[in-house]
Amino acid sequence: MAAWAAGAALLAATAGCGGGSAASVSDAKPSAAPSPTGTAANASPSAAPVGPPGPDAAALKALVLAAGAQAGPYEVDEPLLDEPFSEIYEAEPAVCLPLTTLAAAGHTAQAYASAGLPGKPLEVDTDILLRSYRDANAAGAALKSLAEAGKRCAGGYTEERAVIDAKVLRVEPVAAPAIGDEALAYRIVTRDVKDEAISLYQYLTVVRSGPVTLSFSSDIIDTKDFGGVPREIVTAQWEKFSRGAGSS
């Protein structure tokens, strides 16, 4: 069994809804308390061992939630696109790009697998993206760039989208789930591109387990602050990932 897979299997027990696990995500509110580098028990990206390479595309696809799977009241749907749409976005300043996509320069993943959990009207939509890197150090470097973006872009930045730019007003760290080797979570407040008087909310949670990152991005077509990535989704995806990684 690969070392990263064994670690994921051992940590699977922490993914339940109780205690300091993914259950804390949906209840998390912006606070100065959470560290922007993840939970205290998580290792720093620079300290991660090189270890074995991450899974290839076929193996990674087997680790992501499949279409039709349930995560609490949410159901997984087939991805609408072959590639993550956010990969074509840019950011100004460029240091903020990891908040939009981890596919920043120097942190290119070797494979990815995605799943979508669309909400009903005025309900939360969530995209899941698993990325596999050449080793744990490469995945850790991607998380380090995200932590840096969270600090330096707290006061806002411009997200250069395919059709129209979006103004991010602020980025706030929130409590990350206590799973994986390290985890980061943010609340991102964006100005509506059609009405500058309206602010919209997005939540981003990224977990690293060895050479793999699990990214959860949630938003809503509404002006309400919905509180975070739904904990049922984080828990369901982490449990499937842990089981699959442990058996490989």
Side-chain angles (χ1 to χ4, degrees):
M1 181 188 297
W4 70 270
L10 290 173
L11 286 162
T14 69
C17 294
S21 67
S24 65
V25 175
S26 66
D27 297 326
K29 296 296 181 182
S31 170
S35 167
T37 56
T39 56
N42 293 328
S44 66
S46 60
V50 174
D56 61 20
L60 199 64
K61 186 175 181 180
L63 298 176
V64 74
L65 289 174
Q70 289 290 140
Y74 306 95
E75 183 174 336
V76 180
D77 201 354
E78 291 283 359
L80 296 177
L81 301 172
D82 292 334
E83 298 183 4
F85 191 65
S86 64
E87 306 290 75
I88 65 174
Y89 291 176
E90 299 291 341
E92 177 59 41
V95 69
C96 304
L97 184 59
L99 291 160
T100 293
T101 171
L102 287 183
H107 304 308
T108 304
Q110 62 185 13
Y112 63 82
S114 61
L117 292 91
K120 297 177 182 179
L122 302 183
E123 291 187 358
V124 177
D125 291 313
T126 301
D127 291 321
I128 300 173
L129 184 60
L130 273 58
R131 284 187 175 92
S132 174
Y133 292 82
R134 69 176 185 272
D135 57 28
N137 270 352
L143 262 289
K144 187 175 182 179
S145 71
L146 176 59
E148 182 68 13
K151 294 176 183 177
R152 296 180 59 182
C153 306
Y157 65 97
T158 299
E159 188 176 81
E160 299 176 349
R161 300 180 178 180
V163 178
I164 189 171
D165 292 350
K167 177 61 179 177
V168 175
L169 302 175
R170 58 188 183 275
V171 177
E172 302 162 331
V174 296
I179 54 177
D181 296 312
E182 57 184 322
L184 298 168
Y186 298 96
R187 183 176 84 153
I188 302 171
V189 184
T190 305
R191 179 184 295 154
D192 183 54
V193 296
K194 296 181 180 179
D195 187 342
E196 293 189 355
I198 296 176
S199 295
L200 304 175
Y201 298 90
Q202 176 186 358
Y203 281 83
L204 173 67
T205 294
V206 182
V207 178
R208 181 182 69 83
S209 179
V212 178
T213 60
L214 299 81
S215 176
F216 305 84
S217 179
S218 295
D219 57 21
I220 191 170
I221 305 178
D222 199 353
T223 59
K224 68 182 179 182
D225 183 351
F226 56 93
V229 177
R231 62 172 177 253
E232 302 97 330
I233 294 175
V234 176
T235 298
Q237 176 57 78
W238 175 252
E239 288 180 345
K240 176 164 186 179
F241 174 80
S242 298
R243 288 194 302 269
S247 63
S248 61

